[in-house]
Amino acid sequence: MTSSLTPRQGNPFGHKRSASTKDEQETRGGLAPPPPRQVKDSRSMSNITTFGPRTASLANSVAPGSFSSTLTQTNNSRVPLRPELTSYAATADGQFDEATASERRQADYRDKINKEMKIKVGAENMLAVLLSKNPKQTKDQRLRAESELGASNQKIASLQSQLQDEIDRSRRAAAPAQNRLSQIFRGSPLRSPSRQSQEAEEEQDAGDTETASPTFVLSETLQELERENRQADYYVHRANGIAELFKRNPTLKYDLAWSIFGVRVQTMMLSDSKEVSAAGYRVTRHAFADRKSLQTVRSLQTDVLVIDSLAKDSKATIEREQALKFVRAFLDVKDGIKELSNGVLRAVVAVAEHYEDRLRNIAVLTLAEILIRDPLLVVRAGGITPLYEALKDGSYPGSDSLVSIFLYLTDTPQLRKLITPGYELAGPFGLFSDALPVHGHEDRMKSNIKAISAILNSWPGLFALSQNGFGSVTSLIMALSHPSTSSRNLILDLVFDILNIKPPTWTSSFLAGRRLTTYGRVANLREDPMEHQSRLEDEDDLNRANLIDHYTALVLLILVKCGLIEALTELTEDLEDMTLHRKTTLLLSEVLKLADHALPVGVSAGLHALPALMRDDPRQQCEFNTPIVSNMAFQIDSVNRTLHRTQKPKAGMAITHARNRSRSDSNSTPNPNDARKTNFGYDMDEITFRSKMAESQVVGSPNYLKWKWDLINDIIEGPLRNPKRLEDAKSTKFMKRLLGFYRPFKYRFSESRNTKPNQRYVKTGCALMKSLLASSEGVQILADNKLLRQLAECLAQIDRMSGITSSSPLFSQERVAETLTGNYFAILGALSSDPLGLQMLIRWRMINMFYHIIDLRDRDDIVQLLLESMDFTLDSHLRVMVSKALTAGPKSIRTFATKLLRKFATQEIEPGGSGVASNVACWAIRLLVTQLYDPDVEVSEVAVQILQEACNRKQYLEYVVKCRPALDHLGEIGAPLLLRFLSTSLGYKYLHGLDYITQEMDDWFLGRNERYVTLVEASLSRGFAYEPERAKPAADDFERQQLGIVPPHFYRELSRTKEGCRLLSESGHFEDFVSTIKDFWAEDEDQETMLKVKGCLWAVGNVGSMELGAPFLEQTNVVEWILKIVEHSGVMTMRGTAFFVLGLISRSWHGMEILAERGWDASTNHLGQSLGYVLPPSLNILFPEAPRTPHRLPPPLATMRDAPPPLNKDDALEGRIYSSVIDAGNTVLSRRALNDLNAVRAKKPDYFRSVQVFVRILHIFECHDIRLPFRQRVLELFDKQVLKNVVLEYNDDDESDK
């Protein structure tokens, strides 16, 4: 490609050309208004072109400190005011441009919708509160709340409809609007005929620009920039055009003639107009192509220009912003960071240090990015201090990114020398220990809590905090005694997060003050679909190590050593804020429970005594008998008992629990009394039963809002399952009104709003169906009632094959979303769990309708409701329906149905079953194996994840192997499932026949181990993400559950069988891993070598975690070398990897014995089985105090330009100027230094017209830390012409010759 400039452009400003008719051509992307008319002037420039007044400003839409893409001017005193054309256009053509009016109407609609949404949420919350109180006392309030809720829903629907109509109307009017606008301006009598013809030509030229050659357009635009004495908008528009041209043609910048282009942009950056200077910076950074182009730009003395621009006041925000973006553009070029001079970085540091500067956050971000790429460059420029201050005060929004940078520097010894370990990362802790009031600083405190969480959840962070004996952690815990509710709540949330404690489901109610005894009825929360995994936890699950739990045990030990238990105990005695008191009690109970589970017995034994609460001092024995202390002990015990009832047991504890439950389930008979625990017995007498029915208000009132639904549910789940009591209920209005409430065409249940309080209607309806199916009398009642017949008619309305239609079907999309109509599928699902219920569905042709509903392509909501509500335990048509959805449905339905199989594929196989093939889990596994061949890879990936989870049980694993799935087409996605096959002899033989094992072993040995390290560290990073309020995971949330779990490793699965161990021994791979660890355990510089050592550590740990693989440890004595890494490695992440590997080794009996001989304690469950939590005998082993050896950095080099001439020692006044500038960097001497400079300028102003003095001062800026206000005042002392002379490389002699 030839040069983009023509030969006639050799002299930018030497010739005098007449203005063309397209001087005001508007470029795409520019936001400038139509420019003023041309002022023809043939005068030549004497020195530097003046582009416009300095007071001109940009459009108000550009926020200070924002990253705007265009530069325009909207307010210029030299531009004559133009008349308003709207009134003329309205009267002349009778048309208005409605774009702005339509936007205003849309905004009004959205504001009204937001207000109504707030009213709706408030009404729902009020209704939830009122429903928990006495219905008689809150009747009127409840009716008003319900009416308000209904009115809000109607108004929201109406506003949304109006908003959509307005959007459609504006879209239809968008096309002709542009034509109307052009017609308005084309025929305006306010413009002269010459102006109209000129703009007509400009419109034609603008259209030609899109099709013209980019080189030609660039040449013409550069020629137009030669013209002198134009308004600022003239140059801004053309600079915007060049920038957009570079965007549309990225290759154009590689062929620029910098001898011409550079002169143009240099002249623009020297302009007195800040808009023109900003445009010069913008167009220049868009021309960056490679490092050579950066060097060319720097030869134009842009370093001096950037230093001057960044030192200006806030009035020049747009210029300063573009100058800073100009500096950031260096980072986007390969090796561009090496072209950043120390003077420019000092200028950026000055901006970052100025707290009130609007560009402070951008400057901090720039320094952070440079620090990652070249730490020494930022340290030389003094950039660590502003980053530390930004992290400390919590004002920077990206505090977690700053923490990650300091953690990166703390990790390795070479980078650790650049900072002071234990100082920078201790900054966020200081805000909580300050005595200043915290009111008004909640946002800063939240930012610091987020930063502290990131520090505590990393190995470099723990190492940095250990340098002062974890004093920062101790001060944070002691801050709980500070009388600030917000501060205390944040610290408690932090402890919940870093200890990975998930609050139970009843936490909100408990904090609100409800009694714990009310939760006895929710003790069956383990039966939640997400909690069914406890049935899977057997001997295979002991090998599913959770690294996050292991790390949490270490953090808990540190917190206990820092006084967490004592601080929480003291806080529980504070009864001023009862919500905080209950929250502390809950946290204390969870911490004690976690300590008993995760910490060694020697550490956790003394914690449960609560010495801070139960004082042993005889002089304080009387305090134990006080009501506060005894009440505290009772609450802790009550919370512990409730946690035991409602939470899933952990790891090894779950094994005993699951075995005992399965044993009791297998020995039990299907007695209705054993099915559910209710407040009422199965054999309730008739008198009591009738009194309870009367108390429920169903018999006495047809208004369902007066009914006591909790009492109704207890009656249904208890005595109503007795045929005698069912007969008694049939003789009254109880059954008639209850079933009538659920009939669709009664419009009671079907019109109830889909709110959380109304879910009790759904629960009661499902319980009613199951109770009626339990007896022949109930089946007859259900068959004679109109409920199922009306439901069948409603389903037929959406079945396109039925021939029944309705203008407003009951199962319309709006009703399903807003009312309880969609929950009818849950009621039908309760019927599908019983053979008699299935017969009723068949009787009313509902099964046929289900087949047709599955085929609906525009109602995914109905299809998903149908699939997730049905019970597929019985072998029926419903299973065929699922198979149809899995194979013939769209991608979204196939994915949803595949995820739905998870709860069936992981069910426990009953010991008394009729065979494996007939089991529900095996049916689901067969379908999942079929899904492996789905045409969409995402569906296959979900199936692999579920099968991998199901293979945690040996029975399921063997059944999957018998299905002989082919996973070659899935590549890396199917690799984890194939690895699980190696854990059984059957799977080993199957894979050996496919020649999979030898190929996979070579792959892992030659490179997969290193990729495994990346996978584990990424999982840990996501698992440690700060989440102060963790919601309960959804049923299809696989990724969240797998975070922190050790991924499948080839050598671990190989070590599960004798055949695999024999192959491992013959290959010699384990010995090679040990040899690598011995040779490179102390490596702390080469990243590739460290990655290889980590991969070998994970391979050794996974082999050692298996009982058959543990003998390899003793044969090679590799544990000694791993302990050496833990105690002496200079790389903190390497220590962390070795710590986790020791946890894996402790999972085997043999490995636990080896570690016990060396003093490391491993936590075990009640059966004596290791949980994989191994801790050192002392924290000093993991975190020794590093020697404090200050690292002296080389002095900063003057890289901005050539060094100035030597100082004339005979001129004392000049030396006084330089010393005063240096003193300006001292906070104490700065005021006197500025006064001295002003005095010198008053006596000898020639010094401040000297280029040499200016250059020497720039070198002082480059070598010393001068704050931004003093930089600005010093540079303001010089004449503006001095800067131009420096940039144009004029010296003082040249200036005197002029």
Side-chain angles (χ1 to χ4, degrees), residues 749-780:
F749 177 83
S750 58
E751 289 298 321
S752 299
R753 311 308 301 176
N754 189 13
T755 59
K756 186 176 181 180
N758 287 347
Q759 295 302 315
R760 54 183 180 167
Y761 303 151
V762 183
K763 177 183 176 182
T764 303
C766 296
L768 179 61
M769 296 299 108
K770 294 181 179 180
S771 296
L772 292 178
L773 292 174
S775 61
S776 58
E777 293 82 359
V779 173
Q780 187 61 40

Side-chain angles (χ1 to χ4, degrees), residues 434-556:
D434 290 342
L436 299 176
V438 297
H439 180 69
H441 300 286
E442 287 80 4
D443 293 338
R444 293 173 54 194
M445 296 174 66
K446 290 179 181 179
S447 177
N448 280 17
I449 282 291
K450 189 176 181 180
I452 292 172
S453 175
I455 294 171
L456 291 175
N457 284 327
S458 67
W459 288 104
L462 291 182
F463 171 78
L465 297 177
S466 68
Q467 297 308 295
N468 59 356
F470 295 102
S472 301
V473 180
T474 304
S475 66
L476 178 68
I477 294 175
M478 291 300 101
L480 287 172
S481 59
H482 194 281
S484 171
T485 303
S486 59
S487 175
R488 288 174 170 178
N489 275 316
L490 287 175
I491 296 175
L492 294 180
D493 289 338
L494 173 67
V495 177
F496 271 108
D497 177 73
I498 61 179
L499 295 182
N500 200 26
I501 297 175
K502 298 179 181 179
T505 55
W506 41 266
T507 299
S508 58
S509 299
F510 170 66
L511 296 181
R514 294 183 61 184
R515 294 172 56 191
L516 283 176
T517 53
T518 60
Y519 304 110
R521 291 173 293 178
V522 298
N524 57 352
L525 284 178
R526 301 189 195 99
E527 302 302 326
D528 187 272
M530 284 306 303
E531 303 296 337
H532 74 282
Q533 290 189 36
S534 60
R535 303 179 183 179
L536 294 174
E537 294 180 357
D538 58 1
E539 62 277 3
D540 292 330
D541 286 299
L542 285 175
N543 294 303
R544 300 184 68 219
N546 193 319
L547 303 179
I548 293 180
D549 289 347
H550 189 192
Y551 186 86
T552 301
L554 175 62
V555 175
L556 176 61

Side-chain angles (χ1 to χ4, degrees), residues 677-689:
K677 293 182 179 180
T678 63
N679 293 337
F680 302 144
Y682 176 80
D683 297 326
M684 180 182 290
D685 59 90
E686 180 181 356
I687 297 177
T688 306
F689 178 69

Side-chain angles (χ1 to χ4, degrees), residues 797-813:
Q797 294 174 357
I798 59 175
D799 180 9
R800 297 171 182 173
M801 306 295 292
S802 64
I804 300 177
T805 59
S806 174
S807 58
S808 59
L810 187 74
F811 289 102
S812 63
Q813 195 166 0

Side-chain angles (χ1 to χ4, degrees), residues 589-605:
S589 303
E590 291 276 14
V591 169
L592 292 176
K593 179 181 176 183
L594 182 61
D596 179 64
H597 170 71
L599 297 183
V601 178
V603 179
S604 62

Side-chain angles (χ1 to χ4, degrees), residues 136-169:
K136 294 182 179 179
Q137 298 177 357
T138 60
K139 175 183 177 181
D140 296 337
Q141 298 177 356
R142 189 173 65 253
L143 292 177
R144 286 197 299 270
E146 290 176 349
S147 62
E148 187 69 25
L149 181 61
S152 297
N153 288 325
Q154 294 178 0
K155 196 166 184 179
I156 289 173
S158 176
L159 290 172
Q160 289 177 343
S161 177
Q162 296 176 16
L163 175 61
Q164 187 61 41
D165 293 341
E166 183 62 32
I167 293 174
D168 296 339
R169 189 183 304 111

